[in-house]
Amino acid sequence: QRSIYISYVLIVLMLAIGISGCNQVKLAYNYSDWYFAYQIDQYLDLNDKQEAFIDKQIAALHQWHKDNELPLIIQYLKKSKTELENKLTAEFIFEMEQVAEDMKKRLVSQIIDDLIALVISLNDKQIEHFDTALKSDIKEHTEASDISEEEWVMVKDEEKIEDLNDWFGDLSEAQETTLLAIRSYSKND
């Protein structure tokens, strides 16, 4: 059910973007690098050297996305429009989920080394700032929903395990337990 709903939402969003083709979408895309820098700044208190690194990496990622992913997205939107003019099928929904998953994997492989370099460069105060900002964000999300913080964290943990399974293949039960134990340990620290 959730998967079909997500696919439907993606289809609608992709069509809206594809159909509109307007300057607003182009403008938003062209300034998305600023948005990512802003989001990072919400969670991390970076020093000047780290900010310069992040700015450079975001610019490079944005250019990579324009050069490599955007043409694939445009091609897929055209195909989707044709497919949707006929009839929405389960096969098409599965294909769409696979395309989205492939895009996510390419993005992760593009940013992982830079992300590791950034994380390694963080000091204890920056990590504490990140932890505080993240806890505040979790609190805000749980207050806006009808679930407790523990339930929200459990849902997010399950989603993370699902993502890791998708990216790296099926994790063993021991690996999943280890990941959750690390998360639990860092939460209680």
Side-chain angles (χ1 to χ4, degrees):
Q1 286 283 20
R2 178 177 171 255
S3 180
I4 291 173
Y5 175 75
I6 290 171
S7 296
Y8 178 74
V9 170
L10 285 173
I11 289 169
V12 171
L13 287 174
M14 286 177 27
L15 284 177
I17 291 169
I19 290 169
S20 68
C22 66
N23 289 332
Q24 290 173 340
V25 173
K26 184 177 182 180
L27 183 67
Y29 182 82
N30 286 337
Y31 288 98
S32 61
D33 53 342
W34 287 13
Y35 174 76
F36 291 120
Y38 170 79
Q39 287 298 313
I40 290 170
D41 194 45
Q42 298 302 303
Y43 289 96
L44 296 173
D45 185 23
L46 301 176
N47 62 39
D48 291 343
K49 184 178 177 182
Q50 291 167 325
E51 282 189 23
F53 174 77
I54 285 297
D55 289 343
K56 180 181 173 192
Q57 299 318 110
I58 288 175
L61 178 64
H62 197 238
Q63 190 62 50
W64 168 83
H65 193 271
K66 277 185 188 177
D67 294 343
N68 298 288
E69 293 299 303
L70 198 52
L72 296 174
I73 292 169
I74 291 168
Q75 178 184 20
Y76 194 71
L77 284 172
K78 289 177 182 176
K79 180 183 178 192
S80 299
K81 183 180 178 193
T82 303
E83 185 75 28
L84 291 172
E85 286 173 352
N86 297 326
K87 185 181 179 189
L88 184 62
T89 63
E91 291 83 19
F92 178 69
I93 291 172
F94 176 74
E95 178 185 337
M96 206 174 154
E97 288 177 337
Q98 191 59 53
V99 167
E101 186 61 33
D102 291 346
M103 288 169 50
K104 184 168 60 171
K105 286 178 183 178
R106 287 191 300 272
L107 179 64
V108 168
S109 71
Q110 190 68 25
I111 65 171
I112 192 71
D113 292 337
D114 296 330
L115 185 59
I116 291 170
L118 175 65
V119 169
I120 289 171
S121 76
L122 297 176
N123 61 38
D124 290 343
K125 186 177 177 184
Q126 290 171 314
I127 292 170
E128 185 178 315
H129 181 272
F130 173 76
D131 186 51
T132 302
L134 188 60
K135 285 178 181 174
S136 173
D137 195 35
I138 289 171
K139 183 178 180 185
E140 185 178 310
H141 281 82
T142 55
E143 286 175 354
S145 68
D146 290 335
I147 62 173
S148 69
E149 181 178 338
E150 292 79 21
E151 290 171 315
W152 189 83
V153 169
M154 283 177 37
V155 167
K156 290 300 174 188
D157 284 345
E158 289 171 9
E159 289 174 0
K160 288 173 193 160
I161 295 291
E162 240 178 70
D163 286 344
L164 290 170
N165 278 317
D166 291 341
W167 296 340
F168 302 111
D170 290 336
L171 298 176
S172 69
E173 192 172 312
Q175 289 170 319
E176 288 183 18
T177 302
T178 301
L179 287 169
L180 292 174
I182 291 169
R183 170 121 177 30
S184 176
Y185 175 77
S186 65
K187 184 176 102 175
N188 295 327
D189 234 2

